[in-house]
Amino acid sequence: MQTRPNPLSLLISISATVTALTDSEVTRIVVILLLQRTRIKVPILAPVYSVSFCGGGYATGGEDFAPVYMAPAVADGFAVATTDGGHTITDHLGYDDAKWGLKSPGNVDWYTFLDFAYVGLHDMARIGKFATEPYYGTPPSRSYFYGASTGGRQGLMFAQKYPKDFDGIVSIFPAINWARFILSNIWPQFVMNRLGVYPPGCELDAFTNAAISACDQLDGVIDGIISLPGLCTFDPHVVVGKSFDCDGIESVFTSAGADVAEAAWSGPRSSTGEFQWYGLSKDATLGSAGIGVATTSCQKDGTCKGVPFVISTSWVKYWLTKDPDFDISKITHEEWDELQHASITEFQSAIDTADPDLSQFRKTGGKILAWHGLIDPVISPNGTTDYYDKVLALDPKAHDFFRLFLVPGSAHSFAEGPTPKNLLNTTIKYGEEIERILCMYPKIQVYRSGDPTLASSFECA
């Protein structure tokens, strides 16, 4: 592959317009770069600290993120940057579309893929600071990165590969261990295809509720949340044959439904039984929401079909098989193993973002705050703790600069539900009346005594 030129030397246009945001004027600078054959656009909103935001799914970032994620930071006085990594979500229908992945039939567009994986991120950081300095007459005194899901992966990529780019990184439910976890999201669909049975969402919800009933009290208080998922040994097969309510209709738990739930909770295994990746917590949504790994679609006559997680199917089609028409519903277990092997051998080094050696980032004085919801229905929190454990194994004092928090009852969202709204606050609210403490991993919240709606009734142990 050709040597990539310095992005600052390829600046081909800078344009600025002034618009209004609340009561202040905000300068919007769009920097367009032509790097090799990839067009990267870095919008910078500037009102001097800088903060950068990136993407989700297969979106590196881009201006479409500005109204929700970037504008509030501008209002707080930050200069803000993001990058589309050479492809935009408006061009490609949404976060989950990956047509940009192929340069031609059978050929991965490696330049754009590497921009998505890490190169475009570094360019964004450098160009953001480069464009901010002449406007203010001084470079940013501090620079921060904030991202979730794919954005969370990107944040840790900076710490691993470009440790000098940011002083502080917020990484939320990061999509790290990409080459392994991305296929785990369609493992339950693979199991359904092999069984030829597609349980309705209400049955999978009922399995989840049965697990919560069995494991809710493990932390000492019944609140509808499994706060200690590692201690939950509930077997879905113990309720097979028992009845449950399915949208007002009395139904019976099936053995196939239990197999699918177990697949989602245990994670994928090879054709010879070897561990391939982690499953989800037993109180994570499996099938009712479109984001669930075991989602099905049912007709009025009761027939159902699988609805696989599209980001994962795109990975198989555009990168692993390089065939947009590939049908994953027909694969054998041996072919499943071949896909796992291809994902790891071809792409792990570029996008996995799982290097536990953060010694260079530590030397810069940088800090990382990360959190992951325990009921994330897409990215297993066990993948995040797996990575963090490896970081601690290399550096037992990594807590000094890198802290991870696991949030019971929180899913794949940093804007809704019981999520940390202020990362400087060590408590979290569940609705209007329940408050809990957040504990730095590996400690967990444990109920001691008193009113279970108060954070003071819990401690980290």
Side-chain angles (χ1 to χ4, degrees), residues 13 55 57 77 94 120 177 189 218 226 241 263 266 299 304 314 385 418 458:
S13 70
N177 308 292
Q189 298 285 335
L218 292 174
I226 301 177
S266 298
Q299 304 299 317
C304 301
S314 292
T385 58
F458 293 78

Side-chain angles (χ1 to χ4, degrees), residues 5-19:
N6 187 326
L8 302 184
S9 68
L10 292 177
L11 185 63
I12 61 174
S13 70
I14 297 181
S15 63
T17 59
V18 177
T19 184

Side-chain angles (χ1 to χ4, degrees), residues 207-208 210-218 225-236 262 265 280-283:
F207 277 114
T208 300
I212 293 173
S213 296
C215 300
D216 184 359
Q217 79 284 0
L218 292 174
I225 298 170
I226 301 177
S227 296
L228 305 177
L231 300 181
C232 182
T233 59
F234 173 75
D235 181 352
E262 180 64 27
W265 296 339
L280 303 177
S281 299
K282 290 183 172 67
D283 51 346

Side-chain angles (χ1 to χ4, degrees), residues 376-400:
D376 193 318
V378 178
I379 303 173
S380 173
N382 289 330
T384 300
T385 58
D386 179 280
Y387 171 70
Y388 194 74
D389 288 340
K390 290 175 181 175
V391 172
L392 290 176
L394 282 180
D395 181 359
K397 295 184 178 180
H399 292 305
D400 293 343

Side-chain angles (χ1 to χ4, degrees), residues 33-95:
L33 300 167
L34 190 62
L35 302 179
Q36 297 286 358
R37 293 170 293 171
T38 300
R39 175 180 177 274
I40 296 181
K41 183 166 60 176
V42 182
I44 301 165
L45 302 178
V48 164
Y49 293 103
S50 70
V51 61
S52 297
F53 295 81
C54 276
Y58 289 115
T60 316
E63 290 182 273
D64 299 88
F65 287 76
V68 177
Y69 307 126
M70 297 173 66
V74 175
D76 287 338
F78 289 90
V80 183
T82 186
T83 177
D84 63 15
H87 69 278
T88 66
I89 60 173
T90 52
D91 287 347
H92 299 291
L93 306 180
Y95 302 99

Side-chain angles (χ1 to χ4, degrees), residues 53-381:
F53 295 81
C54 276
Y58 289 115
T60 316
E63 290 182 273
D64 299 88
F65 287 76
V68 177
Y69 307 126
M70 297 173 66
V74 175
D76 287 338
F78 289 90
V80 183
T82 186
T83 177
D84 63 15
H87 69 278
T88 66
I89 60 173
T90 52
D91 287 347
H92 299 291
L93 306 180
Y95 302 99
D96 51 22
D97 189 88
K99 293 177 181 177
W100 57 269
L102 293 180
K103 191 68 177 177
S104 60
N107 296 298
V108 170
D109 185 341
W110 278 99
Y111 282 114
T112 306
F113 178 73
L114 293 179
D115 278 330
F116 169 69
Y118 60 88
V119 177
L121 308 178
H122 184 47
D123 292 343
M124 172 197 67
R126 298 176 66 195
I127 296 160
K129 295 174 186 179
F130 172 80
T132 301
E133 182 174 352
Y135 183 81
Y136 288 101
T138 182
S141 57
R142 291 286 187 272
S143 295
Y144 305 101
F145 181 90
Y146 186 99
S149 196
T150 286
R153 180 194 66 78
Q154 293 166 330
L156 292 177
M157 180 65 84
F158 279 114
Q160 296 168 23
K161 205 172 191 73
Y162 305 112
K164 295 182 180 180
D165 279 356
F166 290 98
D167 302 292
I169 294 169
V170 175
S171 175
I172 304 173
F173 38 83
I176 57 175
N177 308 292
W178 180 282
R180 295 180 184 273
F181 107 83
I182 197 70
L183 277 178
S184 69
N185 285 343
I186 50 175
W187 171 250
Q189 298 285 335
F190 171 76
V191 171
M192 284 190 275
N193 290 332
R194 297 197 70 195
L195 293 171
V197 179
Y198 304 89
C202 61
E203 182 178 5
L204 294 172
D205 286 345
F207 277 114
T208 300
N209 291 333
I212 293 173
S213 296
C215 300
D216 184 359
Q217 79 284 0
L218 292 174
D219 64 347
V221 62
I222 297 177
D223 54 9
I225 298 170
I226 301 177
S227 296
L228 305 177
L231 300 181
C232 182
T233 59
F234 173 75
D235 181 352
H237 293 90
V238 301
V239 297
V240 171
K242 297 181 180 180
S243 62
F244 68 93
D245 180 85
C246 180
D247 301 326
I249 300 174
E250 184 175 345
S251 301
V252 175
F253 285 107
T254 64
S255 178
D259 289 344
V260 173
E262 180 64 27
W265 296 339
S266 298
R269 299 294 186 268
S270 72
S271 57
T272 53
E274 287 91 357
F275 169 87
Q276 291 180 322
W277 198 241
Y278 301 98
L280 303 177
S281 299
K282 290 183 172 67
D283 51 346
T285 297
L286 298 181
S288 291
I291 199 172
V293 298
T295 300
T296 57
S297 175
C298 300
Q299 304 299 317
K300 292 182 179 180
D301 62 3
T303 59
C304 301
K305 65 178 181 179
V307 183
F309 187 58
V310 69
I311 292 176
S312 297
T313 58
S314 292
W315 181 247
V316 172
K317 292 179 178 182
Y318 291 96
W319 282 279
L320 302 188
T321 66
K322 303 162 186 66
D323 177 5
D325 298 319
F326 185 79
D327 185 359
I328 66 169
S329 69
K330 307 297 184 182
I331 63 174
T332 65
H333 209 146
E334 288 71 22
E335 289 172 323
W336 167 272
D337 291 344
E338 291 172 3
L339 292 174
Q340 283 278 3
H341 183 262
S343 189
I344 294 168
T345 57
E346 293 184 44
F347 300 97
Q348 185 178 53
S349 62
I351 198 171
D352 223 39
T353 322
D355 183 357
D357 183 359
L358 300 178
S359 57
Q360 294 303 309
F361 182 76
R362 178 171 190 150
K363 289 179 182 178
T364 69
K367 300 292 188 291
I368 304 171
L369 277 176
W371 67 263
H372 203 137
L374 286 178
I375 64 168
D376 193 318
V378 178
I379 303 173
S380 173

